Amino acid sequence: MEDIRVSDPILAVRDRLQRCSVAVDLAADRTRVYLRNHGLVADEPSVVAVDQECGTVVAVGTKAEQMAGRSPAHIAVVRPILGGMVVDVELARSLLRHVVGPKLRRAWQRAPLTRAAVCLPYGSPPVACRSAVETLSGTGIRRVELVDTLLATAVGCGLPVERPEAAMVVVAGSDRTQVAVLSLGAVVASASAPVGSDVIAQSVVEHFRARYGLSVHSQAVRALLHQLSATAYEADPGIEVSGRDVSNGMPRSVTVDAEAARDATGAPLGAVMDSVFTVLRRCSPDLVVDIADRGIVIAGAVTRLPGLDALLRQAVTVPVHIADDPEECAVRGLGAMIDGRTVG
């Protein structure tokens, strides 16, 4: 099977992308599928529950995610996609088959030459490209085109990436954040930080354990981060958080100040800021002027990174915008490419 490098610009693969009928975003947090002329048709958590005693898949997607922290010892809830790379091809295929569903599977089987486009992080190694191709080929796909997540996200944000103008994006995923400046359909400068919503959540868990003696479960952390990102950056009256008392194991709730809770995210967000400054230093003055005019667009799992946009506005003297439907920008951008709508 012939496939392209994940670093190829849009201009080099535009014709081949328009021959694709399916666009797939295999992300560590969620797996999304876009069908040509139909839009986004599937969106499920990238989670699989496996019975370790017999090696069978117990649950996939939302059902598997609900089992996290509640399953017996022999049931392992795992993510087959980590760091933008498929680490378990068989489990990833089970996930994709579930996400696609029987109706779309029959459609794929009726079209033996079906092509699919999949986005991967910028600069992914060959092993990551091969694992993505193998995952999709196991679902009946005959040809796979690989596209940078940064490019797909920029297109999904409506940025004019094919023009000789700078467009800067911050793509905050679940396990990493990528920052890039794009122009003429390619990445001009980029940097990444091993920081995402999972790292942020772990920082919040450690913060509550150390400050309040409270062990907070994962769903409470997700709800807290969502509430923090939905409020203004200024402190609000308080947020109630429930968990297990570290000293006696009894259930307990505490009311915390939103600003104090955001303090727990300071160090991880600082790493993202360092990546932004690194990219700006690598750009030419002409590109920096373009960025000053157009600003920075944040996409990805930004709703679980509270305060990132405000932090950027304080540190960088350029406008900062959160994209519409930020978590779906990559797959919608990839879908726009296979539909032939690549110019913002």
Side-chain angles (χ1 to χ4, degrees):
M1 178 184 297
E2 179 187 358
D3 56 273
I4 64 173
R5 298 193 312 275
V6 73
S7 58
D8 284 348
I10 292 178
L11 297 175
V13 298
R14 179 166 50 188
D15 293 339
R16 284 185 286 178
L17 288 176
Q18 292 181 22
R19 292 197 293 270
C20 295
S21 56
V22 181
V24 180
D25 180 15
L26 287 173
D29 55 346
R30 301 186 73 86
T31 295
R32 299 178 175 90
V33 178
Y34 181 103
L35 190 61
R36 188 170 189 174
N37 299 325
H38 288 80
L40 186 65
V41 295
D43 184 352
E44 287 271 358
S46 301
V47 183
V48 180
V50 182
D51 188 330
Q52 295 179 308
E53 294 181 349
C54 55
T56 58
V57 174
V58 177
V60 180
T62 301
K63 292 183 178 180
E65 186 179 51
Q66 293 171 347
M67 297 172 64
R70 295 181 169 87
S71 60
H74 66 281
I75 301 294
V77 180
V78 299
R79 293 183 179 273
I81 305 164
L82 294 174
M85 176 179 174
V86 177
V87 294
D88 191 315
V89 173
E90 290 301 322
L91 290 183
R93 284 177 179 172
S94 298
L95 170 66
L96 193 55
R97 291 190 189 102
H98 170 81
V99 169
V100 168
K103 183 177 180 180
L104 286 180
R105 279 203 301 271
R106 288 193 296 269
W108 288 9
Q109 292 169 357
R110 288 196 299 268
L113 297 178
T114 296
R115 296 171 178 243
V118 61
C119 50
L120 293 176
Y122 177 75
S124 293
V127 63
C129 300
R130 286 195 297 270
S131 62
V133 172
E134 290 175 8
T135 299
L136 269 74
S137 64
T139 63
I141 297 296
R142 297 295 182 265
R143 175 69 176 262
V144 180
E145 305 288 354
L146 306 179
V147 181
D148 291 329
T149 298
L150 290 171
L151 289 170
T153 301
V155 172
C157 293
L159 297 176
V161 294
E162 291 190 1
R163 301 176 189 171
E165 304 171 7
M168 189 170 188
V169 293
V170 176
V171 183
S174 65
D175 54 3
R176 68 187 299 182
T177 296
Q178 290 190 298
V179 184
V181 171
L182 305 98
S183 180
L184 291 173
V187 175
V188 178
S190 70
S192 65
V195 174
S197 58
D198 291 345
V199 177
I200 296 291
Q202 185 59 35
S203 296
V204 173
V205 169
E206 295 173 357
H207 172 78
F208 278 94
R209 186 180 183 89
R211 182 168 180 176
Y212 302 101
L214 191 69
S215 179
V216 185
H217 60 87
S218 58
Q219 291 187 359
V221 171
R222 285 195 292 268
L224 173 64
L225 292 178
H226 178 75
Q227 189 169 353
L228 286 174
S229 62
T231 61
Y233 192 69
E234 293 77 13
D236 40 347
I239 299 173
E240 184 176 353
V241 181
S242 301
R244 175 174 54 85
D245 192 292
V246 174
S247 60
N248 56 29
M250 298 297 292
R252 182 164 62 91
S253 298
V254 297
T255 300
V256 299
D257 183 85
E259 187 68 19
R262 287 191 181 94
D263 291 342
T265 68
L269 292 182
V272 175
M273 293 299 303
D274 291 341
S275 297
V276 172
F277 291 134
T278 297
V279 171
L280 289 174
R281 285 194 295 267
R282 293 174 180 172
C283 292
S284 66
D286 292 340
L287 294 176
V288 174
V289 171
D290 290 343
I291 295 170
D293 293 336
R294 181 172 291 112
I296 302 172
V297 177
I298 308 177
V302 67
T303 57
R304 296 193 293 273
L305 292 176
L308 177 57
D309 56 329
L311 188 64
L312 276 173
R313 291 189 187 99
Q314 292 176 359
V316 185
T317 57
V318 299
V320 178
H321 314 283
I322 296 180
D324 296 333
D325 298 322
E327 297 190 70
E328 299 177 1
C329 284
V331 70
R332 292 192 183 279
L334 201 58
M337 294 183 208
I338 68 175
D339 286 340
R341 300 178 285 108
T342 57
V343 180

